[in-house]
Amino acid sequence: MAGNGDIQWCFSQVKGTLEDDVTEADIISCVEFNHDGDLLATGDKGGRVVIFQRDPVSKNSIPRRGEYNVYSTFQSHEPEFDYLKSLEIEEKINKIRWLKRKNPAHFLLSTNDKTIKLWKVSERDKRVEGYNTKEENGTIRDPACITSLRVPTIKPMELMVEASPRRIFANAHTYHINSISVNSDQETYLSADDLRINLWHLEITDQSFNIVDIKPTNMEELTEVITAAEFHPAECNVLVYSSSKGTIRLCDMRSAALCDHHSKLFEEPEDPTNRSFFSEIISSISDVKLSNSGTYMISRDYLSVKVWDLRMETKPIECYPVHEYLRSKLCSLYENDCIFDKFECCWSGNDSAIMTGSYNNFFRVFDRTTKRDLTLEAARDIAKPKTLLKPRKVCTGGKRKKDEISVDCLDFNKKILHTAWHPSENVVAVAATNNLFLFQDKL
């Protein structure tokens, strides 16, 4: 992977329908590469999971291409109704997390607001013929009719990809699940809602351990909620979680069974000159991701991405403004509820670059080495393979240059909340409403 600021990004593929009348169910709600980047999963608001597989030719071609084909589609969650609370539970997939591969099958966790499911995705390209006790269509034969025995044979058949639910982890969350994270031991995982984090064993569905609980005895004293949580990539006892107050807490499960007392608290002192009515809302952290090396983490708030060194709690070591030009627009963003949008962020495979989304289908790539940043657009009018992406610029006032777009012309209905970076190559996946865009570096 080269220094990412010098990368020229080009269009690779777009998946999804063209129609303007997009149904709510088709909107992509999460994107996740697996550990070797050969599979890419998306979840949508309709409860479906679509898995794309890297085209083997594109992987080995020179120059290589980041092209993916549909591998499997299945309905992961259905809408439910909680009769005790008279609440509808949406089928929308909030998060997908892959498990590391241990055998020919693939395993992934998917969750909606209340229920987590472990799915097994496996291939079948052979079938057994010549059963003694049943017909080819599966009906059981009358034992009296069996006069001779034969050895069943295995015949090749057209490849079938099957997704089957192996475990269902339910009834452990009172509030909406916002995060799941598989531990580095690949045996346990966490699930987090607004006020609690639970620890599960992948083999045990009927019990989980509550490891963080920030619910006050009197709910009127509630001052913050948990917004995201993640395990450390290498140390199975360490996890971090972020809050709506702009803090990140690091917990060590070795120190106590209930991690209500954090080991470290990462918080940036507020700049009094920027204080406004919106300060608290925009300082809420919508996503936190530990680096692949486990040395750093990034946090995304409404206007910026910050890089933290796990050894330094007092302030971030880097801060990248994502769309500073929106600071003057906070009032109208509050009125149209955009100020509550939860943008995610992700690391490149070698931790040298960061990606996150913005409005108008813009997404931002920050190079940590050269300190260069790019604003790129996921748009269908460049949908020809190898088309170079032109960096976009937003102007805030005065005269607009030819290639610039005015901040007043940005479309706030088009937003990129979910992005993913291939674990070892410069291939990125960007979810724009109901379309999945794939971009790669121009070699």
Side-chain angles (χ1 to χ4, degrees), residues 277-278 326-336 339:
F277 168 74
F278 305 108
L326 295 183
R327 197 177 282 278
S328 59
K329 297 252 174 267
L330 292 176
C331 206
S332 53
L333 290 162
Y334 178 74
E335 283 163 11
N336 65 15
I339 201 165

Side-chain angles (χ1 to χ4, degrees), residues 384-440:
K384 275 205 225 57
K386 302 272 189 296
T387 308
L388 274 180
L389 299 192
K390 281 200 189 114
R392 304 300 308 258
K393 279 201 167 52
V394 177
C395 72
T396 46
K399 290 196 82 173
R400 187 166 65 88
K401 292 188 189 140
K402 186 167 133 286
D403 286 340
E404 292 182 337
I405 179 168
S406 161
V407 69
D408 299 315
C409 299
L410 295 175
D411 186 342
F412 290 105
N413 293 317
K414 292 181 173 175
K415 51 191 92 166
I416 289 181
L417 303 174
H418 315 287
T419 58
W421 201 306
H422 188 289
S424 57
E425 294 177 27
N426 286 321
V427 175
V428 298
V430 169
T433 322
N434 64 319
N435 289 309
L436 180 71
F437 284 85
L438 285 149
F439 303 105
Q440 66 173 87

Side-chain angles (χ1 to χ4, degrees), residues 31 64 73 111 121 123 134 143-145 170 197 200 202 267 274 311 337 350 359 362-363 396 425 433:
V31 188
R64 50 163 193 76
T73 303
T111 186
V121 182
E123 294 183 355
K134 58 183 180 185
C145 303
I197 300 175
W200 299 85
L202 283 159
E267 185 174 20
N274 273 337
R311 296 157 295 195
D337 277 355
N350 60 3
Y359 294 103
F362 287 170
F363 61 101
T396 46
E425 294 177 27
T433 322

Side-chain angles (χ1 to χ4, degrees), residues 15 47 142 158 167 186 225 283 342 358 371 411 416 431:
K15 307 281 185 186
D142 178 5
E158 200 177 325
R167 306 260 187 287
Q186 293 292 305
V225 293
S283 66
K342 293 178 168 49
S358 179
K371 298 291 183 260
D411 186 342
I416 289 181

Side-chain angles (χ1 to χ4, degrees), residues 19 59 76 104-105 154-155 238 254 308 337 343 351 397 429 441:
E19 292 86 42
K59 188 180 174 182
S76 173
I154 294 174
K155 295 276 174 74
V238 173
R254 290 175 306 191
W308 302 81
D337 277 355
F343 291 96
D351 297 340
D441 52 355

